[in-house]
Amino acid sequence: GENVEQHPSTLSVQEGDSAVIKCTYSDSASNYFPWYKQELGKRPQLIIDIRSNVGEKKDQRIAVTLNKTAKHFSLHITETQPEDSAVYFCAARASGGYNKLIFGAGTRLAVHP
Amino acid sequence: DTGVSQDPRHKITKRGQNVTFRCDPISEHNRLYWYRQTLGQGPEFLTYFQNEAQLEKSRLLSDRFSAERPKGSFSTLEIQRTEQGDSAMYLCASGVSLASYNEQFFGPGTRLTVL
């Protein structure tokens, strides 16, 4: 069935360093890949997304890359700040027309001052 | 707050009781999704509505679960004869059905604890 794998499960970096989170997906028909940030006790918040007709998208300190051939996509955060600490989830839109999202298991990012 | 809202935010119930949760989507959104999130995991899809029609249900949604969206606005998710394994965060998300617009916006969730 449809599956999204996410690595690493935890990531610890020093403030100012870069962080990279990687995901692979199984459904070759997936064409939309959002990333959500979830702080403790709060709702998942959409931070960036990419569609399959684009290889890279950037928004200030965050960027996402997509390799459709290899079926993987990555989130890059540069110049990390303590407020970037959260759990990050990648997701892939399942094929079939109803837009349901298949989520990875999450990456807990800790940014140390 | 014009975002997705959910009520209640927390629910503690005893095993065997029925519970009902409500989701109010962003007003112009015709798509509504329910997801379940357990500790340390990503959200898992449960069911999807477009307007008032329930178009897809996950196999995770057993016979004890039922969802409605009677007027194409708010939605309810009912769990009958709750079990301890139902303990989770139940998230609602909404979006619009435009071909090039896939974003889903989540509510704060209802945390269910079954004792």
Side-chain angles (χ1 to χ4, degrees):
Chain A
E2 302 144 337
N3 186 50
V4 174
E5 294 191 359
Q6 183 171 348
H7 300 281
S9 57
T10 59
L11 181 58
S12 182
V13 299
Q14 290 297 123
E15 183 176 1
D17 287 351
S18 295
V20 180
I21 302 170
K22 299 182 179 182
C23 291
T24 59
Y25 60 98
S26 60
D27 185 350
S28 57
S30 292
N31 61 2
Y32 172 67
F33 307 91
W35 287 86
Y36 286 84
K37 175 183 180 182
Q38 189 173 31
E39 296 176 76
L40 191 63
K42 296 192 176 181
R43 72 186 73 196
Q45 294 230 320
L46 179 67
I47 57 171
I48 196 168
D49 56 16
I50 192 167
R51 291 172 174 79
S52 59
N53 58 347
V54 174
E56 183 174 359
K57 183 177 177 181
K58 192 172 182 180
D59 183 3
Q60 299 183 334
R61 295 187 298 107
I62 60 174
V64 57
T65 59
L66 171 65
N67 183 327
K68 281 215 74 181
T69 303
K71 293 193 286 186
H72 67 70
F73 57 113
S74 300
L75 177 72
H76 303 252
I77 306 174
T78 58
E79 301 172 23
T80 53
Q81 301 167 2
E83 51 265 39
D84 295 329
S85 297
V87 179
Y88 292 81
F89 293 98
C90 63
R93 176 185 181 269
S95 57
Y98 295 142
N99 266 15
K100 74 179 182 186
L101 296 176
I102 309 300
F103 283 84
T107 296
R108 182 173 298 279
L109 174 65
V111 180
H112 301 286
Chain B
D1 186 358
T2 56
V4 179
S5 62
Q6 293 186 244
D7 182 71
R9 296 290 307 277
H10 303 273
K11 179 70 177 178
I12 300 174
T13 192
K14 292 182 179 179
R15 188 177 53 185
Q17 298 295 304
N18 300 342
V19 294
T20 301
F21 311 141
R22 177 181 170 124
C23 170
D24 286 89
I26 294 170
S27 60
E28 64 269 25
H29 286 184
N30 60 342
R31 290 184 163 181
L32 189 147
Y33 307 81
W34 285 98
Y35 291 85
R36 182 172 68 187
Q37 186 177 26
T38 53
L39 199 62
Q41 297 298 317
E44 293 177 290
F45 171 78
L46 292 179
T47 191
Y48 162 69
F49 289 87
Q50 182 157 319
N51 301 311
E52 66 277 5
Q54 187 175 20
L55 298 183
E56 187 172 1
K57 294 196 294 185
S58 164
R59 55 189 159 79
L60 292 176
L61 216 64
S62 75
D63 292 345
R64 297 184 297 105
F65 288 71
S66 62
E68 294 182 340
R69 195 183 182 195
K71 297 182 180 178
S73 56
F74 74 92
S75 175
T76 58
L77 177 68
E78 181 183 15
I79 308 174
Q80 296 183 326
R81 304 181 304 281
T82 51
E83 301 173 356
Q84 288 185 326
D86 297 331
S87 295
M89 176 75 85
Y90 290 84
L91 293 163
C92 175
S94 72
V96 293
S97 58
L98 298 175
S100 62
Y101 194 80
N102 299 293
E103 284 87 337
Q104 293 183 27
F105 299 93
F106 281 85
T110 294
R111 181 168 295 284
L112 173 66
T113 302
V114 181
L115 302 176

